[in-house]
Amino acid sequence: MSKIKEKSTNNQNRKFLSNCDMTYAVEVIGGRWKILILVNLASGPLRYSELKRKIEKVTERMLTLQLREMESDGIVKRTVFAEVPPRVEYEITPIGEKLVPICLQLSDWGTLHRETTKNSL
């Protein structure tokens, strides 16, 4: 594998974008299922199977990967209860709760954009 050139435009752009707060935020919530997971957890903690049922098209592997990423980013909290059989719940953290209104606004914008572009074609 080749080494990345320090002065290359691609490397300079990568450094610039990594310092941009907007790009950082998009990277944190980016992913096909993260916004849906977040909005579904907004009503309260859910077990994995409940979340899977609510987002029926997501695969188990992808749901697990997205939840792990969201947990490592501090958006979702995973709680394991010492029971037999073990019970695991996922809930939004306080910083994750601040994203919910933004996600709902994105949904509203998506509806508006879809209707606008559909009518103009």
Side-chain angles (χ1 to χ4, degrees), residues 10-44:
N10 187 24
N11 192 42
Q12 290 176 0
N13 288 345
R14 184 177 295 133
K15 286 179 182 178
F16 169 76
L17 291 174
S18 67
N19 292 326
C20 173
D21 293 336
M22 188 180 337
T23 304
Y24 174 77
V26 169
E27 284 181 14
V28 170
I29 63 168
R32 184 172 285 179
W33 305 102
K34 286 183 182 179
I35 292 176
L36 286 174
I37 292 168
L38 196 64
V39 170
N40 277 286
L41 289 174
S43 58

Side-chain angles (χ1 to χ4, degrees), residues 113-121:
H113 185 267
R114 185 186 308 252
E115 290 171 357
T116 303
T117 56
K118 183 172 61 173
N119 293 337
S120 67
L121 295 176

Side-chain angles (χ1 to χ4, degrees), residues 67-96:
L67 284 167
R68 283 182 186 161
E69 284 180 23
M70 294 172 79
E71 184 181 8
S72 71
D73 288 334
I75 297 172
V76 169
K77 178 183 167 194
R78 180 179 186 259
T79 306
V80 180
F81 295 90
E83 300 174 353
V84 177
R87 179 170 55 110
V88 178
E89 282 187 351
Y90 294 91
E91 62 184 311
I92 298 179
T93 62
I95 194 74

Side-chain angles (χ1 to χ4, degrees), residues 44-102:
L46 292 172
R47 295 178 73 168
Y48 179 89
S49 59
E50 294 171 322
L51 201 49
K52 174 73 175 94
R53 235 178 285 136
K54 287 181 178 273
I55 310 171
E56 55 190 47
K57 297 290 185 185
V58 68
T59 63
E60 289 183 15
R61 179 180 182 276
M62 189 53 65
L63 181 58
T64 300
L65 288 172
Q66 299 281 272
L67 284 167
R68 283 182 186 161
E69 284 180 23
M70 294 172 79
E71 184 181 8
S72 71
D73 288 334
I75 297 172
V76 169
K77 178 183 167 194
R78 180 179 186 259
T79 306
V80 180
F81 295 90
E83 300 174 353
V84 177
R87 179 170 55 110
V88 178
E89 282 187 351
Y90 294 91
E91 62 184 311
I92 298 179
T93 62
I95 194 74
E97 287 176 358
K98 295 191 179 299
L99 277 171
V100 174
I102 296 166

